Amino acid sequence: MSKIYVVGIGPGDYEQMTIQAVKVLESCDVIVGYTVYVDLVKEHFAGKEFLTTPMKQEVKRCELAFEEAKKGQIVAMICSGDAGVYGMAGLIYEVGESYPEVEVDIIPGITAALSGASVLGAPLIHDFAVISLSDLLTPWEKIEARLKAAAGADFSICLYNPSSKKRADYLMKACDYMLEYKSPETICGIVRNIGREGEETEVLTLQQLRDTVVDMFTTVFIGNSQTKVVAGKMVTPRGYKGI
């Protein structure tokens, strides 16, 4: 049977890929992905055929992968982070309904919430929510409702896609919603270029975060009411008795 692997490649650094992901990419014939993500893996998997599409051509990318698989090729569709977290896993299954002869296998990876948290310290030890601020596929009204619900429930919150040229003020808006429920002194953190050259981190308050400039390669962490700074790291206690 023809086969497509949907592979989460983690934050970008080869050493942060899972062993399973590396083995799959070594065994496949064709690697398909968004141009930026393909560029991250090319040097490590020489000799493979690489096929790319730009952003906003996700359906075309999936169709391309299935057409290659129909030819008898072993195909890997790569995604940054985890394929099932804002990745291509769901869309592959949807497009795959038109290609019943092609088998799909999902290979997990380390999503930015986890890799970024490890750089900052331990911000997600207790219950947390992951919310994307991109409104390309989700109406802003729904994003606003989710932000307020998570803030009101005192979750730690990880924000993906916090800003872009067209959405320069979205993080500020999100922080304003947070400030309706959370203290301005709530501990927050940001990580830029997780697992890649130029990685940077900063621990700051929610009020300071509101006026911080970020980009699409930044992941934002907003603590809950118990989150604190320990030895310069962002830490959310789990609630162990006696500590």
Side-chain angles (χ1 to χ4, degrees):
M1 186 179 229
S2 302
K3 190 158 190 175
I4 292 177
Y5 292 96
V6 190
V7 182
I9 62 171
D13 187 55
Y14 178 79
E15 283 70 24
Q16 294 191 49
M17 292 176 63
T18 67
I19 294 173
Q20 184 185 24
V22 171
K23 287 182 176 180
V24 166
L25 293 181
E26 288 175 341
S27 69
C28 72
D29 303 305
V30 182
I31 296 176
V32 182
Y34 172 46
T35 308
V36 173
Y37 304 149
V38 167
D39 287 343
L40 290 173
V41 304
K42 259 187 176 179
E43 66 176 296
H44 300 291
F45 301 97
K48 306 298 180 183
E49 181 181 0
F50 294 95
L51 301 174
T52 66
T53 66
M55 193 176 289
K56 299 183 182 179
Q57 292 190 18
E58 287 80 8
V59 173
K60 180 180 178 181
R61 197 180 309 152
C62 290
E63 292 172 342
L64 184 63
F66 277 106
E67 290 298 327
E68 289 298 313
K70 281 179 62 178
K71 298 175 185 177
Q73 304 267 53
I74 300 174
V75 179
M77 167 71 76
I78 61 171
C79 315
S80 69
D82 179 83
V85 181
Y86 303 115
M88 299 292 286
L91 186 57
I92 278 282
Y93 278 119
E94 292 179 288
V95 174
E97 289 186 309
S98 300
Y99 298 86
E101 71 277 25
V102 179
E103 183 182 351
V104 174
D105 197 358
I106 309 299
I107 308 300
I110 303 173
T111 188
L114 305 182
S115 55
S118 69
V119 177
L120 280 171
L124 305 180
I125 289 294
H126 213 303
D127 300 334
F128 66 92
V130 177
I131 302 172
S132 171
L133 297 191
S134 173
D135 58 357
L136 286 175
L137 301 174
T138 306
W140 179 254
E141 293 75 19
K142 184 168 286 188
I143 295 172
E144 177 183 345
R146 290 171 177 172
L147 288 166
K148 290 182 176 180
D154 197 28
F155 282 103
S156 293
I157 301 168
C158 179
L159 299 179
Y160 283 44
N161 306 310
S163 183
S164 68
K165 290 181 180 179
K166 293 182 179 179
R167 300 181 291 105
D169 63 339
Y170 277 29
L171 179 58
M172 182 179 291
K173 288 181 180 180
C175 288
D176 285 339
Y177 302 150
M178 298 293 106
L179 288 165
E180 294 178 21
Y181 302 90
K182 295 176 176 285
S183 164
E185 299 305 309
T186 298
I187 300 301
C188 300
I190 58 175
V191 188
R192 297 182 177 91
N193 300 311
I194 301 170
R196 304 176 191 174
E197 184 177 351
E199 180 180 273
E200 297 177 346
T201 67
E202 184 177 357
V203 176
L204 66 174
T205 67
L206 178 56
Q207 188 63 56
Q208 291 170 328
L209 177 65
R210 182 187 181 277
D211 300 315
T212 299
V213 177
V214 298
D215 58 22
M216 287 290 287
F217 297 102
T218 304
T219 305
V220 174
F221 295 79
I222 299 172
N224 68 17
S225 60
Q226 304 301 311
T227 303
K228 56 188 176 181
V229 178
V230 178
K233 296 292 186 177
M234 182 180 178
V235 177
T236 300
R238 188 176 177 187
Y240 292 104
K241 291 182 178 180
I243 297 179

